[in-house]
Amino acid sequence: MRKRLLKNCHEVVIKAGTRLLTDEERIGELVDGINFIRQTGRRVLLVSSGAVGMGMKELGFEKRPRDLAMVQALAAAGQCKLMSIYSEKCLQHNFRCAQLLLTKADLQNRKRYLNVNNCINALWDNGVLPIVNENDSISTDELKFGDNDTLAGMLATLTNSHLTVILTTESGLRDRNPDGTLGKRISVVKNIDESIRNLAGGTDNSELSIGGMESKLMAADFLNRAGEYLWIADGREKDILKKIFSGEDVGTLFVPRSRIRSRKRWLRFFARPSGRLTVDDGAVNMLERRGKSLLCVGIKQVSGSFKRGDCVEIADLNGNVFAYGLSNFSSEEYKLAAGKQSDEISALLGHPADDEAVHRDNLALKVDVKP
């Protein structure tokens, strides 16, 4: 399974946690592994934690502070030092790196989402390694991804990267012994159910970092639902990236379902709806079971203020949101057209109009995971 995956894997996201980036030697080993992957012809994006930890080291802090402004200041100081080390190590292998600092809002807005994707592809086209981190210097709770495991999953979904590798300080997801201690490594997970989630004992160290195995399972669930693989492995193990990309049985591999097209990925996982369309049972059936477009005749209620092209959520009569789509009309036009047949709408609005309220190509059914 691992070798079959690698045969079809051309874009890769690597995520390294704070505790693996404690000094220049460790960072150099990570870049050595990335260079090995690049030499196979694959395009690599690195999601790097470590800015706050590096800032703590630079400014003499032993524990991660609670004060937001101080954490932001440490991130600013540490990011500068971290990128200078990455740049030096990459140049030793005759390639360059570039820095992208993102907030969650950058991926929720369709235009900015596309700009991020275009930038990454331009860097890849020029042989540059994109290194991405959350913009901790300006992020607040409502703008945060939560942790870089989530960010890595979102970037893999954005870039259609078939594999994400999260390097941590565990050998992978491990079973539990009867006494509750960690047991044998699980090689492959094909379905993330409650029994798997119960194995997610914390691996974080709040003095340096956030996250843990629970956040890695959330990233795995998110990626698997988008149709991509996640591989968790111990970043402390010598030549771990070489072992992974040689198809060795190391770490834990999480196996996906079928893949989702790019536009529908944004609708399912990133978009922030501007309004809601409540539809009747017939429309629910047409969308969920028959794969049809949404017609105005099935719309019962319009909520919010939005314009043509905005993302809207689609709910049933009980208020359950089951889909997201790009609107073909403004909220005011929907209010006029709701419940009307398609051949009535142009005359009603006074200008040529689409037959569909939301076209099937611009509509995605909801899944359980939405970061």
Side-chain angles (χ1 to χ4, degrees), residues 239-260:
D239 295 330
I240 186 63
L241 288 176
K242 292 182 181 179
K243 292 177 181 178
I244 288 172
F245 284 86
S246 297
E248 294 186 25
D249 183 5
V250 294
T252 302
L253 180 65
F254 294 83
V255 180
R257 302 164 180 82
S258 58
R259 301 188 85 184
I260 300 171

Side-chain angles (χ1 to χ4, degrees), residues 147-203:
D147 55 70
N148 275 349
D149 296 329
T150 300
L151 175 57
M154 295 178 82
L155 286 170
T157 304
L158 164 73
T159 57
N160 287 313
S161 295
H162 205 31
L163 173 63
T164 298
V165 177
I166 293 183
L167 298 177
T168 183
T169 52
E170 288 288 338
S171 61
L173 182 66
R174 294 164 66 184
D175 213 337
R176 291 281 180 178
N177 295 318
D179 63 0
T181 59
L182 292 175
K184 188 177 179 181
R185 172 182 64 92
I186 299 172
S187 176
V188 175
V189 174
K190 295 184 178 180
N191 180 40
I192 300 175
D193 56 19
E194 201 58 35
S195 66
I196 293 294
R197 292 189 181 92
N198 289 338
L199 301 177
T203 60

Side-chain angles (χ1 to χ4, degrees), residues 5-6 8-15 37 42-47 113 116-117 120-121 124 129-130 132 151-166 219-220 222-231 245 253-254 256-262 265 269-270:
L5 156 65
L6 293 172
N8 299 311
C9 175
H10 306 294
E11 289 82 29
V12 182
V13 172
I14 307 290
K15 183 264 179 176
I37 302 170
R42 295 181 174 93
R43 308 205 290 186
V44 182
L45 181 149
L46 173 63
V47 175
Y113 170 94
V116 171
N117 194 27
I120 291 169
N121 278 294
W124 274 344
L129 171 69
V132 185
L151 175 57
M154 295 178 82
L155 286 170
T157 304
L158 164 73
T159 57
N160 287 313
S161 295
H162 205 31
L163 173 63
T164 298
V165 177
I166 293 183
F222 175 65
L223 279 165
N224 287 171
R225 290 174 183 276
E228 311 297 6
Y229 290 80
L230 178 72
W231 197 326
F245 284 86
L253 180 65
F254 294 83
R257 302 164 180 82
S258 58
R259 301 188 85 184
I260 300 171
R261 290 167 50 194
S262 295
R265 289 177 182 222
F269 301 120
F270 300 105

Side-chain angles (χ1 to χ4, degrees), residues 308 328-330 333 336 344-354:
R308 175 183 169 89
N328 276 344
F329 302 99
S330 69
E333 289 173 328
L336 293 173
E344 302 177 71
I345 296 172
S346 293
L348 187 66
L349 298 180
H351 59 76
D354 294 295

Side-chain angles (χ1 to χ4, degrees), residues 11 34 75 78 82 104 119 147 182 212 223 264 297 314 332 371:
E11 289 82 29
I34 290 172
L82 189 62
K104 193 173 182 179
C119 178
D147 55 70
L182 292 175
L223 279 165
K264 295 191 180 237
V297 68
I314 303 170
E332 295 305 312

